[in-house]
Amino acid sequence: MTRAGGAVGFPPDAPEAEVRALAEATAAEVRAGCLHLLALHRPGPDGAAELVGTVFLQPGRGPVVAHRATVIRLMVLPDLQGRGLGGRLLAAAVDRAAELGLAQLILSARGGTGLPAWYAARSWTEVGRFPGALRLAPDDVRDEHWFQLGVQDRRESVGPSR
Ligand SMILES: CC(C)(COP(=O)(O)OP(=O)(O)OC[C@H]1O[C@@H](n2cnc3c(N)ncnc32)[C@H](O)[C@@H]1OP(=O)(O)O)[C@@H](O)C(=O)NCCC(=O)NCCS
């Protein structure tokens, strides 16, 4: 995903071992109940389910932030992007947040990509940005855009507002 241009925390040339280590740590956090995983599957050639997309909810830790969660690692297989699956995953994450009794969601998106516009089109509010907070390479520094969504507004987040 990161090699295909995905903005999920790594530069495009990140060593596979680093990505694998984070994947394993993430799986451990899901098993421990610290992260909620929403996954999208399709039937694979051998009949087994093939993973085609993920999104995670990371609830705030501690009483002051327990009412919110951070949406992380929304990803769809590159050859299936642009068919609405990412939007469905994001909407499912908002629904899960409602089921968990959360009041708000936050997320960050990499500047210099179409992602900030993608979230803005799905009713997320850009609340600010950290200039130059992401250094993909010494000569490739991006702003980090922060978004927020009230979970009670979730119906509006299902599809792009055009
Ligand atoms: C972001 C992502 C999850 C969106 O999933 P998707 O299934 O392609 O999105 P959808 O099909 O629901 O939405 C398609 C729309 O978003 C646009 N879009 C999709 N990815 C985009 C991107 N990276 N930048 C800008 N626009 C994008 C499409 O052009 C399309 O526009 P339209 O609705 O005007 O036709 C997917 O592109 C992805 O996995 N990217 C790599 C990982 C990543 O960067 N995740 C974001 C972490 S903040």
Side-chain angles (χ1 to χ4, degrees):
M1 180 60 66
T2 197
R3 298 262 191 293
V8 284
F10 291 99
D13 59 351
E16 187 181 327
E18 277 182 26
V19 178
R20 189 171 295 280
L22 181 68
E24 285 167 4
T26 299
E29 283 188 77
V30 171
R31 283 194 296 273
C34 309
L35 269 185
H36 299 276
L37 162 65
L38 289 91
L40 204 55
H41 296 92
R42 68 177 170 189
D46 57 357
E50 182 190 356
L51 183 65
V52 300
T54 63
V55 62
F56 297 83
L57 284 181
Q58 185 173 51
R61 291 183 193 166
V64 175
V65 290
H67 64 295
R68 74 180 200 211
T70 307
V71 175
I72 56 174
R73 295 182 213 125
L74 173 64
M75 304 185 270
V76 171
L77 277 186
D79 62 335
L80 293 179
Q81 289 175 10
R83 302 178 188 192
L85 299 180
R88 274 175 53 194
L89 272 168
L90 186 62
V94 177
D95 285 345
R96 175 69 63 84
E99 287 162 19
L100 292 169
L102 295 167
Q104 63 174 239
L105 292 172
I106 58 176
L107 63 78
S108 66
R110 187 178 292 180
T113 68
L115 290 165
W118 192 84
Y119 289 111
R122 282 155 184 78
S123 298
W124 286 68
T125 302
E126 183 167 349
V127 291
R129 68 182 75 172
F130 291 122
L134 303 174
R135 187 172 292 177
L136 307 188
D139 61 348
D140 187 359
V141 177
R142 311 285 183 90
D143 293 350
E144 187 173 50
H145 298 242
W146 280 91
F147 285 84
Q148 193 174 40
L149 182 81
V151 173
Q152 67 275 16
D153 303 332
R154 63 188 182 277
R155 283 195 180 82
E156 291 157 36
S157 73
V158 168
S161 48
R162 296 181 189 273

